[in-house]
Amino acid sequence: MVTRFSVFKTEVKGKMKVSILFVCLGNICRSPAAEGAFTKLVQEKGLTDQFIIDSCGTGDWHIGELAHPNTRKVAQSNGIQLTHRARQISSKDLEKFDYVLAMDDSNINNVLRLAKTEDLKQKVIKFRKFDPLYKNEPDVPDPFHGTEKDFIEVQEIVTRTSESLLEFLITKYKLG
Ligand code: 4NP
């Protein structure tokens, strides 16, 4: 059973968890890369049972597909095996997840259309708000039409931003 405990924390079968949903357009490049990078960091810190981590896309073109071959290749070279299958976001996701982290401004606008209340809107945050190298919350660049170099850049962005996101959550919820 999933119970809303307070804004930004969820109770699952009596255990408090923080639930994080990474969102991009197709759910085959940026958000699965972020999901994989964040999951690896959570595992390394032994915090797996304190998180629910998932990703999805605002679009429906790639539903059921594995991540893009270059996303998987670059993740693999960082010790991350991506097995996620693409899915499309629904309004239920905004109820279920505590943090809905969008990769770019267009994703944010699309997700906000599903959020009917102020509480739900507050969950929608630009992922790179947590990027320690930038103050202006830039987009995670879409590598879909790019080269392997663009996928490597995405991996670097999602890795350092996930590190800082996880530190924020550990401090905020006194995890560990
Ligand atoms: P993503 O990249 O949103 O990072 O998964 C894209 C994947 C597919 C498409 C666009 C962006 N597409 O147009 O199919």
Side-chain angles (χ1 to χ4, degrees):
M1 188 179 61
V2 178
T3 313
R4 173 71 36 211
F5 170 72
S6 64
V7 178
F8 299 170
K9 208 155 187 228
T10 300
E11 186 179 330
V12 183
K13 293 182 181 161
K15 270 201 159 179
M16 302 312 304
K17 298 192 186 234
V18 184
S19 54
I20 312 285
L21 182 65
F22 297 98
V23 185
C24 62
L25 176 59
N27 193 209
I28 56 169
C29 301
R30 294 165 292 173
S31 62
E35 178 190 350
F38 187 75
T39 300
K40 180 177 184 231
L41 293 168
V42 165
Q43 285 168 350
E44 286 169 353
K45 292 224 182 267
L47 296 174
T48 301
D49 66 348
Q50 299 194 50
F51 282 94
I52 296 168
I53 306 165
D54 196 4
S55 68
C56 66
T58 59
D60 63 1
W61 310 284
H62 300 283
I63 290 173
E65 292 178 20
L66 286 169
H68 188 288
N70 278 338
T71 302
R72 281 184 282 143
K73 181 177 174 188
V74 173
Q76 186 74 57
S77 67
N78 284 269
I80 300 164
Q81 201 178 359
L82 295 180
T83 57
H84 176 80
R85 296 273 175 179
R87 70 176 184 88
Q88 188 176 27
I89 193 168
S90 80
S91 51
K92 284 200 182 111
D93 286 311
L94 286 158
E95 302 281 348
K96 176 175 174 191
F97 287 90
D98 301 317
Y99 290 87
V100 179
L101 298 174
M103 297 296 129
D104 67 29
D105 286 333
S106 164
N107 305 151
I108 294 231
N109 291 333
N110 286 326
V111 175
L112 283 177
R113 274 192 221 113
L114 299 173
K116 301 298 177 215
T117 66
E118 248 339 283
D119 276 359
L120 296 181
K121 285 187 207 304
Q122 277 185 24
K123 296 179 176 187
V124 185
I125 298 170
K126 191 95 171 271
F127 177 55
R128 285 184 85 182
K129 179 182 172 63
F130 298 97
D131 187 334
L133 296 189
Y134 293 85
K135 289 263 174 280
N136 59 337
E137 302 182 18
D139 291 348
V140 179
D142 182 353
F144 184 57
H145 295 292
T147 65
E148 192 174 326
K149 186 170 155 283
D150 300 300
F151 287 81
I152 292 168
E153 185 193 0
V154 166
Q155 186 69 43
E156 288 168 359
I157 291 169
V158 300
T159 300
R160 72 165 179 266
T161 303
S162 290
E163 284 166 358
S164 143
L165 168 65
L166 183 55
E167 287 310 314
F168 164 80
L169 295 170
I170 286 171
T171 304
K172 176 162 180 158
Y173 298 111
K174 301 181 176 56
L175 302 176

